[in-house]
Amino acid sequence: MASQPPTLEHERALAARGGHKLIGAADEVGRGALAGPVSVGYVVIDPNGVPDLPGVRDSKLLNAEQRHILVPLIKEWAAGWGVGHASAAEIDELGLVPALRLAGLRAVTAAGVDADAVLLDGNLDWLSATRQPTLLDSLMPGFGEPDDVDGLLIPVQTLIKGDLLALSIAAASILAKVERDELLDGYDSEHPAYGWIQNKGYGTTGHRQAIVEHGATGYHRKTWQLTPKG
C-alpha cells in the first residue's frame, strides 16, 4: 500500500503554535556515507500561503528523473531555498554534528530569506546553537565531540519521519539529494574505481574493496572505518 503524500499540517501547526509566518525546513543527505560531503537541503515557506506541491515525496522514494523534474518546481514554490555542504575534510576536522550544523548554516545563508522557526527531520536537533547529548553520541563517529560551529538561534522543532510527513522537509530532501548526487557523479570521473555513480559514497562491499585496493582519496572521510575489519 502506497504511503500518503506529505502535507503542510506540521508546518501550519508550528506556525500557529508560535505565532510564526515563515517556516524553514531542513533535511540532510550523506550522513552515513564513507565519501563525499554531508549535504543539507533547506526551504523557507509561508505554510498558510503556499499550495500543495504534487509529486513531492521523500527523496528516497523517487527515482533520479523524478527528483530532477521536481527541483525547479520546488525552487519556484519556496520563498527561499538553499543547499549547503560540509566536505569530508571538514567532517574529519570538526566531527559529524558540527559538520552537519555547518552544512545547515550554509544552506540557511544560501536561502537568503529569514524563517521564524525551522522544522528539522529526525529526532536530533543538530541545527540549533545548543543541543543536549543523546545515545547517538556514542554510536556515530563525530557525535559527542565539542561543537565549535555556531548554530541557529530561532526555534527548531524536530519531526521523526519528517521527510515522509512534512511537504517542506520532503522538498528540502530532494534539493539536497540532487546536489549531492551530482557532486559524487563528478568525483567518479576523477576516481572511477570506487563506483561512486552507483553507491554515492556509501559503504557497499565494492566500495570498501576499492579502498583496500587503491587507498583512500581526498573525498573519503579518513577518520571513519573505511575498510572491512579483520
Side-chain angles (χ1 to χ4, degrees), residues 133-152:
T134 72
L135 287 176
L136 284 176
D137 291 340
S138 62
L139 298 178
M140 291 288 289
F143 277 84
E145 296 183 7
D147 291 351
D148 56 0
V149 177
D150 291 337
L152 290 187

Side-chain angles (χ1 to χ4, degrees), residues 121-192:
D121 182 55
N123 62 356
L124 176 69
D125 177 6
W126 41 261
L127 191 53
S128 292
T130 59
R131 70 178 187 89
Q132 295 298 316
T134 72
L135 287 176
L136 284 176
D137 291 340
S138 62
L139 298 178
M140 291 288 289
F143 277 84
E145 296 183 7
D147 291 351
D148 56 0
V149 177
D150 291 337
L152 290 187
L153 297 176
I154 60 175
V156 173
Q157 177 181 306
T158 58
L159 179 63
I160 297 173
K161 298 188 183 298
D163 46 10
L164 297 173
L165 299 173
L167 183 60
S168 59
I169 293 179
S173 78
I174 291 170
L175 296 183
K177 173 68 173 168
V178 169
E179 276 211 19
R180 187 179 185 278
D181 282 0
E182 289 177 348
L183 287 174
L184 268 293
D185 290 352
Y187 300 163
D188 190 89
S189 65
E190 299 178 48
H191 303 282

